[in-house]
Amino acid sequence: MGGWQQYSVVNGNEPGALRQVDTRQIPLSAYLGAVGMPGVTAWYGLVKIIEPKKGETMLVSAATGAVGSAFAALSRARGCRTVGIAGGPEKCSYAVNELGFDACIDYKRHPNAGSLSKALKEVCPNGVDGHFENVGGMVLDAALSRMNPFGRIAVCGMIAGYNGAPLPLTYPALILVSRLKVQGFIVTEQMQVWPEALAELGTLVATGKLRARESIAEGIESAPAAFLGLLKGQNFGKQLVKLI
Ligand SMILES: NC(=O)c1ccc[n+]([C@@H]2O[C@H](COP(=O)([O-])OP(=O)(O)OC[C@H]3O[C@@H](n4cnc5c(N)ncnc54)[C@H](OP(=O)(O)O)[C@@H]3O)[C@@H](O)[C@H]2O)c1
């Protein structure tokens, strides 16, 4: 929020402007990822919009990123089958072997939504009850096709369209036919949940149940390239820029 700069002046009296953090069990950088805004984003979409029940199947796109990796730990903690969608075999094996996903589908192996949908059917044999959308386009089309009746979709991001390209939805009638709840949200408008969400996320990190990777670019001059890399999936986990 302070801009792309090395130093900024903030009003310390403004709620949330400054936060004292404890680095004894949680690394400092995690407060910008799993125990910060991205973690709360996953928490809000899962807990307040999807409202998961034990034994249900949860799906998340951009699964290995800052938000997706926190989503996995939170979903597993609620006893849900947790399935991810990510780009490339390396990210998918990291999702299963390190983040604890039950399965992860590499969307880059699928030329269209139909093919991705078939792959999702194999790893979600009971359908999908909750979907957390970070991407849009083909990924959302495929996820929609696997939703169970009365499923819930938290619309968090549409990164496939951040370059301005239109992201049409191929079968919006599925929202009606499957009686879905589809809700977008902006995490900074939900400050009331931050303390509860951060407490759970902090415990998950401190107890080793959430160990998200980070991609660290060095120096402010590397920030533009790091940002563009996010839009190409070049980051592995939370993208950070180390200033000093
Ligand atoms: N609503 C809110 O309040 C809120 C708050 C925070 C973040 N967000 C959104 O949440 C999403 C995830 O954020 P994050 O910080 O955790 O980012 P991230 O997942 O760490 O990084 C973005 C990832 O998106 C994937 N991606 C990029 N371009 C794509 C494309 N064209 N098609 C498919 N996948 C693509 C890439 O993963 P792959 O290599 O796996 O494709 C990339 O690594 C973003 O859409 C962000 O805007 C929303």
Side-chain angles (χ1 to χ4, degrees):
M1 295 299 173
W4 292 35
Q5 57 206 56
Q6 283 169 307
Y7 302 93
S8 65
V9 177
V10 298
N11 177 359
N13 296 321
E14 202 178 295
L18 292 174
R19 190 154 61 104
Q20 189 168 21
V21 297
D22 184 343
T23 54
R24 283 171 299 178
Q25 287 169 311
I26 298 171
L28 186 59
S29 59
Y31 288 99
L32 291 172
V35 193
M37 183 278 287
V40 180
T41 301
W43 191 97
Y44 186 83
L46 179 70
V47 177
K48 295 295 180 185
I49 296 178
I50 294 175
E51 300 182 284
K53 295 178 199 73
K54 193 174 176 195
E56 287 189 330
T57 298
M58 299 294 133
L59 180 64
V60 59
S61 52
T64 62
V67 176
S69 48
F71 183 92
L74 294 166
S75 167
R76 278 169 54 82
R78 285 159 178 78
C80 295
R81 177 170 176 78
T82 308
V83 175
I85 302 173
E90 203 192 343
K91 285 192 178 181
C92 282
S93 71
Y94 163 67
V96 173
N97 298 327
E98 291 183 49
L99 293 176
F101 279 94
D102 293 294
C104 184
I105 297 294
D106 175 3
Y107 71 88
K108 290 188 175 166
R109 291 186 55 197
H110 297 278
N112 53 49
S115 167
L116 182 58
S117 173
K118 274 191 200 139
L120 287 176
K121 189 176 183 183
E122 278 173 34
V123 292
C124 304
N126 299 324
V128 176
D129 302 293
H131 173 56
F132 190 102
E133 183 58 57
N134 283 320
V135 170
M138 169 182 117
V139 169
L140 179 55
D141 275 340
L144 257 183
S145 72
R146 299 268 67 99
M147 295 303 294
N148 286 330
F150 302 103
R152 293 84 66 198
I153 301 181
V155 182
C156 172
M158 289 273 162
I159 199 165
Y162 290 175
N163 59 3
L167 276 185
L169 193 58
T170 311
Y171 298 113
L174 285 170
I175 298 170
L176 167 65
V177 174
S178 303
R179 289 87 85 209
L180 303 179
K181 167 183 165 185
V182 181
Q183 189 177 328
F185 70 101
I186 297 295
V187 72
T188 46
E189 293 174 353
Q190 307 296 340
M191 295 312 288
Q192 74 287 355
V193 308
W194 283 53
E196 184 186 353
L198 290 173
E200 181 178 355
L201 291 157
T203 304
L204 286 172
V205 170
T207 55
K209 290 182 182 142
L210 170 48
R211 265 179 296 192
R213 264 200 221 180
E214 294 165 344
S215 294
I216 303 178
E218 294 286 337
I220 195 165
E221 59 285 353
S222 67
F227 178 68
L228 293 176
L230 266 183
L231 304 175
K232 296 183 195 143
Q234 286 167 352
N235 62 310
F236 215 121
K238 173 68 184 175
Q239 178 67 59
L240 296 164
V241 177
K242 191 168 183 194
L243 296 180
I244 48 167

